[in-house]
Amino acid sequence: MVSFGSHVDFSVPHIKIRNLNKYYDGQNQQIHALKNINLDIPQAKIFGIIGKSGAGKSSLIRTLNGLETISEGSIHIHQQNLSALNHAELIQIRQKIGMIFQHFNLMSAKTVWENVALPLKIANVDKAEIETRVNEVLALVGLENKAQNYPSQLSGGQKQRVGIARALVHRPEILLCDEATSALDPESTSVVLALLKKINRELGITIVLITHEMQVIREICDQVVVIEHGEIVESGQVWSVFSRPEQKITQELLNLEQLDLPFQIDAELQEDSTHSILKLRYETDPKHSPDLTQIFQIFEKSVHLYQSHIDNIQNHLIGHLIIATAQTDLDIRSLREKLKHQIAQIEVIGYARPTH
C-alpha cells in the first residue's frame, strides 16, 4: 500500500486557523458567516466539524482549499499561509488537498475509470502514471471491477466511492469531506465510513469531515468541534464532548434533549410533585462500568430507572441514566460529592408525580 502523506513534524498542526472571519454581501447588510475561528487540526487524524444547516460548516471547509476566500485572519497548511501564496503556489498546494462532495459530482458521460482519471489528465500527467494511479485508487476503494461502468449503473454508495477515488488520485495529504454520507442509506454510509477510516489509517491522510450527524462523528472522528451561527461553541476529543456536552446545541445534536417518559415533567417544583427527575451522566473505561447498586444506595428514598443509554467511544464507556427519586428537596452538591467517583454530571431536569 502506497502512503500518500509526506514525512512531517507531528508536533506542528497540519492545518492552523487563526482569527478567521468570513463575510458575505447580503441584500441589505453584510452576513457574518464565520466568526473568529481558531483551530489546530493535527496531522493524520480524522477531525469532525458538526453543526446544523446554516451553521457555517460548508463555508469553513471551503476556505481550507481556497474555494472560499477569507475576509480576515489566516489559514496555514504545513506552515504555508494560503493568503500569501501566488496563483501557481496555490494550485500546487490544492493538489495536496482532495475533496469529497455530498452529491458525488461525477460526469455521467464518462466511465468510472475516466471520472477518476480526469484530474490527472487536466494536470497533464503522463499516461502511464495515470494508468498506475487510477488502478491503484480503484483497488483501494474496492471498485476495480466497475472501472468501465457509467455512474448511472452504480448505487449511491458506489458513486461516493468513485468520488473518494477521484479525490485520492492526486495522492493528497488532506481529504476534505463535505457531508459525504448524508445522501446515502445506512448500509452505504457504514461502508463509506469504514473506507475513510482505512484511508486515514493506511495512508496517513488527514481527514476533515463536516456533517450534521453525530453518529458519523461517533463512528470515525478523533476530535470534533461544534459550530453554531458561525462560531465554535464546543470542541475536544470525541469521547469528552459526548460524555460532557456543555452547550444546548451539542445536547440537541446528541439527541439528549429527547426524553420518552410515561409521565409529564414540570420544570419547576409543583405542590403535587412527589419525585425529582435526574439525569446522571458517566464516563469510564470499559472495565469499570457504573455500579447501580452503589449509586442507588446513596439516595435516601426509592429510586426508579426510566431510561438508560450507553456508548463505547474511543475506548470510553459513555452513557446516561434518567431516574426518578421520591425526594423533592435533594442536596445536589452533596450528591455530586458522594457520586463523584462514578458519575461525571448530575442534573435535575424537573419534577413529576409518576405512578409506579
Side-chain angles (χ1 to χ4, degrees):
M1 181 64 64
V2 176
S3 177
F4 296 173
S6 59
H7 297 288
V8 297
D9 182 357
F10 282 83
S11 66
V12 177
H14 202 163
I15 302 171
K16 183 170 75 172
I17 303 173
R18 290 293 180 269
N19 305 314
L20 187 151
N21 285 273
K22 172 66 179 178
Y23 300 92
Y24 293 102
D25 291 326
Q27 289 184 342
N28 300 314
Q29 61 180 0
Q30 271 197 330
I31 299 168
H32 198 175
L34 296 172
K35 303 171 184 175
N36 203 38
I37 301 293
N38 289 279
L39 271 181
D40 286 341
I41 298 177
Q43 170 83 10
K45 298 293 185 181
I46 304 181
F47 194 96
I49 301 169
I50 189 167
K52 292 185 175 180
S53 179
K57 307 184 303 295
S58 290
S59 292
L60 177 55
I61 201 169
R62 288 166 65 87
T63 64
L64 300 184
N65 63 357
L67 288 176
E68 293 280 0
T69 58
I70 62 175
S71 304
E72 299 168 356
S74 65
I75 298 174
H76 288 78
I77 295 179
H78 279 332
Q79 304 180 68
Q80 286 184 285
N81 186 348
L82 292 190
S83 299
L85 302 181
N86 61 37
H87 183 68
E89 291 169 334
L90 189 58
I91 289 175
Q92 188 175 26
I93 205 164
R94 276 178 175 164
Q95 290 182 349
K96 298 179 181 180
I97 304 172
M99 189 150 185
I100 306 168
F101 301 92
Q102 178 180 357
H103 296 297
F104 323 130
N105 292 3
L106 302 180
M107 300 188 71
S108 59
K110 292 187 179 292
T111 65
V112 165
W113 200 97
E114 291 168 336
N115 266 282
V116 175
L118 189 59
L120 297 182
K121 288 183 177 179
I122 292 172
N124 294 317
V125 175
D126 177 79
K127 285 185 178 180
E129 181 68 11
I130 292 175
E131 184 86 20
T132 297
R133 290 202 199 181
V134 173
N135 292 337
E136 178 182 83
V137 293
L138 285 178
L140 176 65
V141 303
L143 289 177
E144 58 265 58
N145 63 337
K146 300 288 185 182
Q148 298 310 312
N149 286 45
Y150 289 88
S152 62
Q153 299 171 303
L154 304 178
S155 68
Q158 289 170 334
K159 289 177 184 176
Q160 191 56 289
R161 283 191 277 155
V162 176
I164 293 171
R166 181 184 56 195
L168 293 176
V169 80
H170 263 303
R171 296 180 174 170
E173 298 175 1
I174 297 168
L175 193 59
L176 307 179
C177 304
D178 189 353
E179 296 280 10
T181 61
S182 62
L184 304 179
D185 60 70
E187 184 178 351
S188 297
T189 293
S190 295
V191 171
V192 168
L193 293 181
L195 176 57
L196 291 175
K197 281 198 287 188
K198 176 183 176 182
I199 289 165
N200 170 254
R201 183 177 64 250
E202 296 184 2
L203 305 183
I205 292 178
T206 301
I207 297 178
V208 183
L209 181 150
I210 72 165
T211 182
H212 63 276
E213 301 170 296
M214 269 294 187
Q215 186 62 21
V216 172
I217 299 292
R218 176 196 181 281
E219 284 290 321
I220 68 168
C221 292
D222 300 298
Q223 293 175 237
V224 62
V225 297
V226 182
I227 187 168
E228 184 179 28
H229 304 309
E231 295 183 270
I232 293 174
V233 296
E234 197 153 0
S235 63
Q237 298 289 318
V238 170
W239 68 265
S240 177
V241 172
F242 271 60
S243 63
R244 299 191 185 194
E246 297 177 357
Q247 302 296 321
K248 183 175 177 60
I249 180 63
T250 313
Q251 295 174 14
E252 289 176 0
L253 290 165
L254 284 166
N255 291 323
L256 295 181
E257 299 299 296
Q258 297 181 8
L259 297 176
D260 184 17
L261 301 178
F263 49 81
Q264 181 68 37
I265 297 180
D266 296 307
E268 302 294 334
L269 184 63
Q270 305 296 315
E271 287 186 12
D272 62 346
S273 299
T274 59
H275 288 67
S276 297
I277 312 303
L278 306 181
K279 179 182 288 185
L280 312 182
R281 293 198 187 103
Y282 58 89
E283 174 272 309
T284 183
D285 68 81
K287 295 180 181 179
H288 300 93
S289 59
D291 186 323
L292 296 185
T293 301
Q294 288 184 10
I295 291 170
F296 292 169
Q297 283 177 346
I298 297 295
F299 293 86
E300 297 175 8
K301 296 189 178 180
S302 62
V303 176
H304 294 266
L305 176 62
Y306 279 98
Q307 193 178 94
S308 176
H309 179 79
I310 190 167
D311 274 316
N312 192 332
I313 303 174
Q314 296 177 320
N315 205 33
H316 289 75
L317 283 184
I318 295 165
H320 72 260
L321 308 170
I322 304 296
I323 64 172
T325 180
Q327 246 178 304
T328 57
D329 57 347
L330 290 168
D331 184 343
I332 295 298
R333 181 177 293 182
S334 175
L335 264 181
R336 285 178 179 141
E337 180 62 27
K338 292 175 181 177
L339 291 172
K340 65 182 181 182
H341 297 298
Q342 297 212 63
I343 299 297
Q345 288 180 317
I346 302 175
E347 177 188 358
V348 178
I349 59 176
Y351 302 90
R353 188 181 178 84
T355 56
H356 302 300

